[in-house]
């Protein structure tokens, strides 16, 4: 009989999932920055790239706390969200709606990450992984802040610009 899976196994699997996702996001952000038309958009994507690098390093610390190698496992969800962002970049290239579309894709990424980190924090607490909790909480705070900045960027510039051109 196969040995039963535990919450600890689930925590590790989810950690691998978000580790893979963050690495994919690291690769996607420079492309999004290049595609963005507004200077604020470009700067925002590049700033978040730097922040994501720190998030990857914190995840590596969590793997270390667990005594496990930092390894990702393919995350279909993030691949799908990034593929959608690429599609928007191609289809709306040169249009006034491009930045609104890029922001929308970036927010889909943030919401996925927020859900994952919230879950990991709850499980880390449950599992008594006291050292992991503040590392995960710091990243969650950054993801929430990025989501708010994206909303602000959309509401103050990108959405109106996209609509005016309609």
């Amino acid at each position: 009989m196969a040995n039963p899976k535990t919450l600890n196994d689930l925590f590790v699997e989810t950690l691998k999932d978000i580790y893979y996702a963050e690495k994919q996001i690291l690769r996607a952000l420079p492309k999004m920055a290049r595609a963005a038309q507004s200077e604020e958009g470009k700067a925002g994507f590049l700033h978040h790239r730097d922040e994501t690098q720190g998030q990857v390093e914190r995840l590596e610390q969590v793997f270390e706390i667990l005594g496990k190698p930092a390894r990702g496992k393919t995350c279909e969800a993030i691949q799908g969200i990034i593929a959608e962002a690429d599609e928007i970049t191609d289809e709306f290239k040169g249009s006034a709606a491009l930045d609104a579309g890029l922001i929308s894709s970036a927010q889909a990424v943030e919401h996925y990450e927020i859900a994952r980190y919230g879950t990991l924090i709850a499980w880390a607490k449950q599992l008594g992984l006291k050292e992991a909790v503040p590392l995960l909480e710091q990243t969650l705070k950054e993801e929430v802040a990025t989501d708010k900045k994206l909303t602000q960027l959309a509401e103050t510039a990108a959405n109106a610009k996209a609509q005016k051109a309609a």
Side-chain angles (χ1 to χ4, degrees), residues 38-122:
S38 78
E39 284 313 307
E40 300 155 293
K42 285 182 190 300
F45 287 130
L46 290 175
H47 170 77
H48 193 54
R49 191 211 168 279
D50 296 342
E51 209 171 54
T52 302
Q53 186 59 58
Q55 294 167 354
V56 166
E57 287 161 18
R58 282 196 292 277
L59 285 172
E60 288 167 353
Q61 286 177 267
V62 175
F63 277 109
E64 214 170 286
I65 290 164
L66 296 170
K68 302 228 177 261
R71 266 209 311 269
K73 100 176 198 200
T74 304
C75 171
E76 306 283 346
I78 220 67
Q79 285 184 325
I81 294 169
I82 291 171
E84 270 182 18
D86 289 343
E87 221 172 273
I88 287 170
T89 302
D90 293 343
E91 287 178 31
F92 289 86
K93 195 179 223 136
S95 86
L98 176 62
D99 283 6
L102 287 172
I103 290 167
S104 152
S105 296
Q107 283 195 289
V109 167
E110 291 310 311
H111 291 195
Y112 179 79
E113 291 176 307
I114 288 165
R116 282 290 185 231
Y117 283 109
T119 297
L120 284 167
I121 290 163

Side-chain angles (χ1 to χ4, degrees), residues 130-149:
K130 288 178 180 62
E131 293 169 81
V133 172
L135 294 166
L136 297 166
E137 284 176 340
Q138 189 182 346
T139 297
L140 179 60
K141 265 188 215 128
E142 289 174 359
E143 304 296 11
V144 169
T146 297
D147 183 48
K148 284 194 176 110
K149 281 184 219 156

